[in-house]
Amino acid sequence: MLRRCSNIPRSALNLSRPATRAFTKPSAPVSASALQLSTKENVLFELDVKKVGHEIRKRGLTSAIGAQREGGMDRDTIIRLLYSLGSRHEVERYLRIFTQSSSDVTAGGVLPEAKFAVLKIGGAILTNELEDLALSLSFLNRLGLFPVVLHGAGPQLNDILEAEGIVPDYEDGIRITDPKTLSIARRVFLQENLKLTTALERLGTRARPIPTGVFTADYLDKAKYGLVGKITRVDKGPIEAAIKAGCLPILTSLAENAEGQILNVNADVAAGELARVLEPMKIVYLNEKGGLYHGVSGKKISTINLDEEYDSLMRESWVKFGTKLKIREIKELLDTLPRTSSVAIISTDMLQKELFTDAGAGTLIRRGHKLYKQPGVEAVGSTQLRQVFSERDPEVSSGKRSVAEIFGDLKNGSSTIYGDEPFDVVAVVSHPQGETPVMTKFLPSANGMLNKIADNVFDVIKKDHKRLFWTAKADDENRAWHFERADGSFTRAGRSLFWYGVSDVKEVERIIEGFEQSGRIERVFLPVGPSVPPHRLNAAQSGVRAFSTSTRPSMSTSTSTSRRGYATSAEVPRKKVALIGARGYTGQNLISLINNHPHLDLTHVSSRELAGLPLKEYTKSNVSYSNLSVQDVGKMAEENQVDAWVMALPNGICKPFVDAIDSASKKGGKSVIVDLSADYRFEQDWTYGLPELYGREETKSSKRISNPGCYATNTQLLLAPLMPHLDPNQMPSIFGVSGFSGAGTKSGEKDSEGRPKTVPKISAEDLGLSIRPYSLTDHIHERESRNHLSSLLPTETREQFNLAFIPNVAPWFSGIISILTAPLNKSFRASEIFDLYKEKYENERLITLSQNQVPDVRDQENKHGWKMGGIQVHSSGKRVVVVGTLDNLLKGAATQCMQNLNNSLGYDELAGIPLDKL
């Protein structure tokens, strides 16, 4: 747990990095006092990252401004403050890359200082985080960096438009801009631009407002969007003039056409066009969220490597609407820029950590390259590889060995070369048959480290080799990178030895002795001094302080890892499920999902009528139906024979089974229950599991979960986005029609083999070509929906909420279509209603949204998701009709049950659910 601290001691902020030391085997264990000293030295790593970042910016600027007033600025003091966020080597490496020589002008003639970074600032940050933003920008400028800043002002503009009675209007996500809107927008941009430059000047940082004059544009589509521009030219002159004068350029996204007409341009688009001209190393989007988030796990995505991941990422069902558009636009931008350029999406207060540490803090998006690995003997003829060794290998540059000698070693067939296509990183792993692998070469370029390509290459190596040893010079500029990836290390005679995958020191010593005898590494590392990198000290089994060369680790938060990597999760243990009531349609569908699940095993299926017969639909193992009694279930629960119970029984039947499991839990039973009936949907001590609306987080720690009803799921998904906007004096109503499978099954009939058949209570023949209304008032799904939807309202208005629901059964097998009619408390346009649904469900992988197209129930049969559409608003603007569809046996029952099982057992929510059938 990170310890939060509001006051950071000045002495802590002035800590300097420890000098590199070589260690020999100690004569006695390290004392407790040494461990205590280490804790004091690393006190900053227990602090909250955001507070540290804010504090070092404040103190750094205070020191710098004071020094400047005295005639000079102590830049080294400011740099030392950055060591609180990452290692000295990390910080200095990034500073060296960012602060290029002024003589290093590119062929395009762009001023080098302008090639550091383009920062796009969201309008909300100017309102809510102006102080932090000004501190961050000033801190960078004190380091000699000149980020080119372009800001928006959308929220401020919307507030003023609303106050003046103008309803903001959008088409295809683009603000429709009439002359009055543009007049207000221009005023707002000027005000916000001046506000930021004034905040910077107060901190002693020179800033130059450049609200217009950089972008030239034509009309995007005057008839459709009004005064909205498409940028045709970017004039970098005003930007470079500001930088030459020592000022930070502060731009808006306003453009002009050839006639001098001001045009509105989306700020993200303008930032992209600016980047295409300046070709900066970093394009940074500052927003309040601080990154992109995975639509299923909810976790921040650390890195997206477009060349490796783009196609598969865009096929993910949660990547849609705004998220899909943003990723596509970023790819199109990076495709036009040098591979050294990358995009970072980050919060203001984590900007320094993102820019100056290997771990980063937000979401890094880079082109990357497809990785490769090949036998060393096949790579020997590569001219590019020969050049890499000539330019980067210390042995070659020092004259100790030639490239031909190194290539000769590769011909023995026991080495693999890893890297990326343009050779930004090359690594060689020697792995003779039956011996421990050694990484004999690690040759990254500056770009390979800057854009974390080295991380990806190392991840591939780690997948291939469960243990690995390697060495590096003690003063290697990437020393911190090596420590972060090692389980153990120590330094001797100017070289550091690293390894992972071996925890026993005696085994390490034995392996190294074998290396030295065979000449695979230098004869300098015996006797072995066991060590654990500082960043893994707390996780080590021993309480002894590591005696390796000390490296300060990068800070990490509870929501991020210590370094960049792909956003994939490791496999989790397999778990067992028992299904009580397997004969019905829902039970059959659930069996199919578990059969498809990568981590769940179905060990028991209970059905009185099918007891003793084999479960043919399940292919992972041989399972037969049984007839489990209440006593059987209680004993199994007490012995923890299964991890989860699914109750697929009719209403009013499952209570004795639940009571038996509850009783077992008092004796140490730990199993989860998911009940598909209506018995526990109103119980306060049960979690109601409709993940897209409520229960997702609670389910992850809950042992008792009630699965929503099919009609109730459709009704609640339809109504939830509209809840704050309903007319409190009129009830919304839902007209629902379900396939006849929703009426359940009946027993009695048997097939030709004598097995009981699953027969619907109501058949298509019974219904003919008509639909049959039933339970026209007080249907249980009406009460269920009202009960849970009311929780979305303020406490004082919950009792007033009501709704009307009319169910019908139709002559198709499965699928529900519900038509919602909802009175509204103010006038809306259809596009605004659709925006409410997008805001609510945009990142939900099982939900498909359409504004105009009415979903067809036939298209949703055998599909695992929910689909809405057909939005139509009454001419008054105060009544809306929306249509929703789902398969009552899947998203209305079995699929939703699987979501709840996954959440409660610690799996990805959609594990086992075929995502190609949404």
Side-chain angles (χ1 to χ4, degrees):
M1 184 69 70
L2 291 172
R3 176 160 55 86
R4 296 186 177 272
C5 180
S6 58
N7 297 309
I8 302 174
R10 184 175 298 276
S11 60
L13 289 170
N14 289 325
L15 284 175
S16 61
R17 296 288 302 118
T20 300
R21 294 174 290 174
F23 290 85
T24 56
K25 191 172 183 179
S27 57
V30 179
S31 66
S33 62
L35 180 59
Q36 185 179 10
L37 177 62
S38 170
T39 304
K40 290 180 180 178
E41 288 175 346
N42 291 285
V43 65
L44 281 176
F45 304 118
E46 299 178 9
L47 301 174
D48 180 86
V49 174
K50 293 187 177 182
K51 292 200 175 190
V52 170
H54 183 79
E55 191 69 22
I56 66 172
R57 287 197 301 275
K58 287 178 64 178
R59 296 194 180 203
L61 286 169
T62 301
S63 172
I65 293 168
Q68 188 181 45
R69 287 171 179 164
E70 295 172 5
M73 182 175 66
D74 185 4
R75 181 173 180 268
D76 289 341
T77 299
I78 302 174
I79 293 173
R80 282 198 297 271
L81 294 172
L82 284 173
Y83 299 160
S84 302
L85 296 178
S87 76
R88 178 175 185 167
H89 286 281
E90 287 177 80
V91 171
E92 291 179 351
R93 183 174 73 244
Y94 287 114
L95 272 175
R96 185 167 58 253
I97 293 170
F98 291 150
T99 54
Q100 297 181 66
S101 167
S102 59
S103 62
D104 186 22
V105 180
T106 63
V110 177
L111 193 71
E113 289 85 351
K115 295 174 71 65
F116 160 51
V118 168
L119 270 65
K120 186 270 175 177
I121 313 296
I125 289 176
L126 295 177
T127 298
N128 303 324
E129 302 178 43
L130 182 62
E131 179 190 0
D132 257 358
L133 174 61
L135 284 168
S136 291
L137 295 177
S138 294
F139 194 89
L140 293 176
N141 190 233
R142 302 291 173 180
L143 293 169
L145 301 174
F146 287 84
V148 179
V149 179
L150 183 144
H151 68 81
Q156 297 91 324
L157 178 57
N158 285 339
D159 289 344
I160 294 177
L161 291 175
E162 187 173 341
E164 297 193 12
I166 302 173
V167 178
D169 199 3
Y170 295 86
E171 186 73 35
D172 303 326
I174 298 171
R175 183 191 297 273
I176 297 174
T177 307
D178 58 19
K180 185 172 183 180
T181 299
L182 182 63
S183 174
I184 296 171
R186 186 172 182 273
R187 185 173 78 243
V188 170
F189 271 116
L190 290 173
Q191 290 172 349
E192 296 301 312
N193 195 269
L194 181 61
K195 186 167 70 173
L196 177 55
T197 54
T198 301
L200 288 166
E201 295 281 355
R202 279 199 300 266
L203 293 170
T205 299
R206 298 182 64 195
R208 178 173 294 182
I210 311 178
T212 58
V214 171
F215 302 111
T216 301
D218 288 335
Y219 290 105
L220 180 61
D221 186 333
K222 189 173 183 180
K224 188 174 184 180
Y225 304 115
L227 301 173
V228 175
K230 178 181 180 181
I231 294 174
T232 57
R233 179 174 175 271
V234 176
D235 182 1
K236 62 182 182 291
I239 298 170
E240 295 189 332
I243 293 174
K244 286 178 180 178
C247 301
L248 290 182
I250 312 297
L251 285 63
T252 74
S253 59
L254 292 175
E256 299 175 54
N257 68 6
E259 291 76 37
Q261 171 65 54
I262 298 293
L263 298 175
N264 186 24
V265 177
N266 177 274
D268 283 348
V269 173
E273 294 300 324
L274 186 62
R276 285 184 171 89
V277 171
L278 299 181
E279 295 189 341
M281 284 174 279
K282 289 285 184 181
I283 302 100
V284 181
Y285 294 90
L286 295 184
N287 66 18
E288 292 177 300
K289 290 184 177 180
L292 294 178
Y293 288 79
H294 196 284
V296 175
S297 68
K299 294 181 179 179
K300 185 187 294 181
I301 299 174
S302 172
T303 309
I304 297 174
N305 299 287
L306 293 172
D307 281 7
E308 282 281 322
E309 300 178 271
Y310 179 76
D311 291 337
S312 60
L313 185 64
M314 296 300 273
R315 287 195 295 269
E316 293 278 359
S317 58
W318 61 270
V319 178
K320 49 190 176 182
F321 305 118
T323 302
K324 178 169 284 190
L325 178 63
K326 181 174 284 292
I327 294 173
R328 182 184 295 120
E329 288 176 344
I330 289 173
K331 182 181 188 304
E332 291 172 356
L333 170 62
L334 290 177
D335 281 346
T336 67
L337 297 177
R339 286 194 179 270
T340 51
S341 297
S342 60
V343 170
I345 302 174
I346 188 66
S347 61
T348 307
D349 48 10
M350 300 294 277
L351 182 59
Q352 281 84 3
K353 187 169 189 292
E354 174 64 31
L355 291 176
F356 296 105
T357 69
D358 290 337
T363 299
L364 178 72
I365 304 176
R366 61 201 175 198
R367 286 175 69 187
H369 274 288
K370 291 186 177 179
L371 306 181
Y372 75 87
K373 62 179 179 181
Q374 61 185 63
V377 66
E378 294 181 10
V380 168
S382 168
T383 302
Q384 283 181 287
L385 194 61
R386 180 176 292 275
Q387 184 176 352
V388 169
F389 278 96
S390 298
E391 294 175 352
R392 299 184 208 158
D393 191 338
E395 286 191 311
V396 176
S397 59
S398 66
K400 185 177 179 180
R401 302 190 74 195
S402 69
V403 176
E405 287 179 285
I406 294 172
F407 276 18
D409 292 342
L410 297 178
K411 288 182 178 180
N412 63 20
S414 62
S415 295
T416 300
I417 295 182
Y418 295 83
D420 62 321
E421 288 177 348
F423 296 94
D424 275 323
V425 175
V426 170
V428 179
V429 176
S430 168
H431 47 84
Q433 184 70 30
E435 296 188 34
T436 300
V438 175
M439 184 164 67
T440 59
K441 299 291 180 185
F442 176 70
L443 307 174
S445 67
N447 180 54
M449 298 303 296
L450 175 68
N451 282 323
K452 314 298 187 296
I453 300 166
D455 295 355
N456 298 339
V457 172
F458 193 81
D459 287 342
V460 175
I461 294 172
K462 201 163 186 178
K463 287 179 182 178
D464 287 352
H465 305 288
K466 302 305 180 186
R467 55 171 60 183
L468 185 74
F469 283 71
W470 71 99
T471 66
K473 292 175 64 177
D475 59 353
D476 190 307
E477 66 173 2
N478 301 315
R479 190 163 58 98
W481 184 92
H482 293 285
F483 274 114
E484 287 289 343
R485 282 143 192 85
D487 289 337
S489 62
F490 66 96
T491 298
R492 188 170 297 143
R495 293 195 67 83
S496 296
L497 175 72
F498 303 94
W499 68 86
Y500 68 73
V502 184
S503 57
D504 182 71
V505 175
K506 292 297 184 184
E507 186 178 3
V508 171
E509 192 165 51
R510 180 185 59 78
I511 292 171
I512 294 176
E513 186 175 6
F515 287 161
E516 293 191 355
Q517 289 175 357
S518 63
R520 297 183 69 197
I521 63 172
E522 303 93 326
R523 291 179 174 270
V524 297
F525 290 112
L526 287 175
V528 171
S531 64
V532 179
H535 71 287
R536 301 199 180 181
L537 184 60
N538 292 335
Q541 293 180 355
S542 170
V544 178
R545 173 178 166 83
F547 54 94
S548 65
T549 300
S550 178
T551 301
R552 186 187 301 277
S554 301
M555 276 189 167
S556 62
T557 68
S558 59
T559 59
S560 66
T561 58
S562 61
R563 64 184 180 91
R564 301 280 191 189
Y566 293 102
T568 55
S569 57
E571 286 196 23
V572 287
R574 304 189 70 81
K575 296 188 179 180
K576 299 175 181 179
V577 177
L579 176 59
I580 309 297
R583 184 180 61 82
Y585 294 129
T586 298
Q588 292 174 356
N589 278 281
L590 191 56
I591 290 167
S592 176
L593 288 175
I594 296 174
N595 196 45
N596 189 55
H597 199 289
H599 310 300
L600 286 183
D601 294 314
L602 184 61
T603 56
H604 299 79
V605 284
S606 180
S607 171
R608 178 176 52 84
E609 294 180 316
L610 298 173
L613 296 173
L615 179 60
K616 295 181 178 179
E617 299 84 356
Y618 187 73
T619 60
K620 289 184 182 179
S621 61
N622 294 324
V623 177
S624 295
Y625 288 97
S626 57
N627 182 18
L628 296 177
S629 66
V630 170
Q631 291 75 23
D632 294 333
V633 168
K635 184 177 180 181
M636 291 171 61
E638 189 174 331
E639 296 174 354
N640 290 310
Q641 292 186 29
V642 298
D643 298 287
W645 301 86
V646 177
M647 302 295 169
L649 296 165
N651 294 344
I653 301 297
C654 74
K655 187 178 186 303
F657 294 98
V658 171
D659 289 345
I661 298 171
D662 283 344
S663 178
S665 68
K666 298 175 183 178
K667 303 175 184 178
K670 300 176 181 179
S671 49
V672 170
I673 302 176
V674 179
D675 178 32
L676 302 186
S677 77
D679 292 6
Y680 294 93
R681 292 174 188 163
F682 299 89
E683 296 292 329
Q684 294 298 315
D685 54 348
W686 281 59
T687 300
Y688 185 74
L690 206 172
E692 291 79 7
L693 292 181
Y694 16 63
R696 175 173 279 147
E697 292 306 315
E698 293 87 344
T699 300
K700 292 176 182 178
S701 59
S702 177
K703 298 293 185 183
R704 302 292 180 264
I705 303 138
S706 59
N707 215 60
C710 52
Y711 270 129
T713 296
N714 209 8
T715 295
Q716 291 172 86
L717 290 173
L718 276 171
L719 264 170
L722 304 177
M723 291 297 289
H725 310 289
L726 295 176
D727 185 338
N729 300 313
Q730 302 182 67
M731 273 196 298
S733 64
I734 300 93
F735 182 85
V737 186
S738 170
F740 58 80
S741 61
T745 62
K746 62 183 179 180
S747 59
E749 297 187 29
K750 296 185 177 181
D751 61 18
S752 58
E753 298 179 3
R755 296 166 59 98
K757 292 173 61 177
T758 302
V759 179
K761 288 182 180 178
I762 300 175
S763 66
E765 291 74 19
D766 294 332
L767 295 166
L769 297 178
S770 66
I771 65 172
R772 182 181 300 176
Y774 66 99
S775 300
L776 302 183
T777 60
D778 296 310
H779 190 285
I780 190 170
H781 287 172
E782 178 181 276
R783 290 185 282 120
E784 179 184 339
S785 300
R786 181 179 66 238
N787 180 68
H788 293 287
L789 282 170
S790 65
S791 68
L792 302 178
L793 295 171
T795 305
E796 62 274 12
T797 62
R798 290 178 183 176
E799 291 297 325
Q800 304 169 21
F801 174 68
N802 216 327
L803 61 89
F805 170 64
I806 303 168
N808 301 265
V809 62
W812 60 75
F813 179 69
S814 68
I816 286 176
I817 184 165
S818 294
I819 301 95
L820 164 68
T821 300
L824 306 171
N825 57 14
K826 64 177 183 180
S827 180
F828 280 84
R829 297 178 59 175
S831 61
E832 294 171 323
I833 295 293
F834 185 58
D835 286 342
L836 295 177
Y837 282 88
K838 283 203 298 183
E839 182 180 355
K840 191 76 174 177
Y841 300 128
E842 186 170 15
N843 293 321
E844 296 294 344
R845 298 169 71 184
L846 293 187
I847 290 182
T848 303
L849 306 176
S850 172
Q851 179 174 329
N852 301 316
Q853 183 179 0
V854 178
D856 192 321
V857 69
R858 292 172 297 181
D859 296 334
Q860 211 58 22
E861 187 174 6
N862 297 320
K863 300 292 180 65
H864 294 273
W866 179 73
K867 189 172 185 178
M868 62 74 62
I871 299 174
Q872 296 206 13
V873 176
H874 185 262
S875 56
S876 67
K878 299 187 72 173
R879 180 170 65 86
V880 65
V881 176
V882 189
V883 181
T885 62
L886 55 75
D887 189 309
N888 52 289
L889 300 177
L890 297 176
K891 179 56 182 168
T895 303
Q896 194 139 261
C897 174
M898 182 58 71
Q899 288 178 267
N900 288 320
L901 275 175
N902 282 329
N903 282 331
S904 64
L905 296 176
Y907 300 125
D908 183 292
E909 185 176 294
L910 302 190
I913 299 171
L915 298 183
D916 59 338
K917 298 178 67 176
L918 300 182

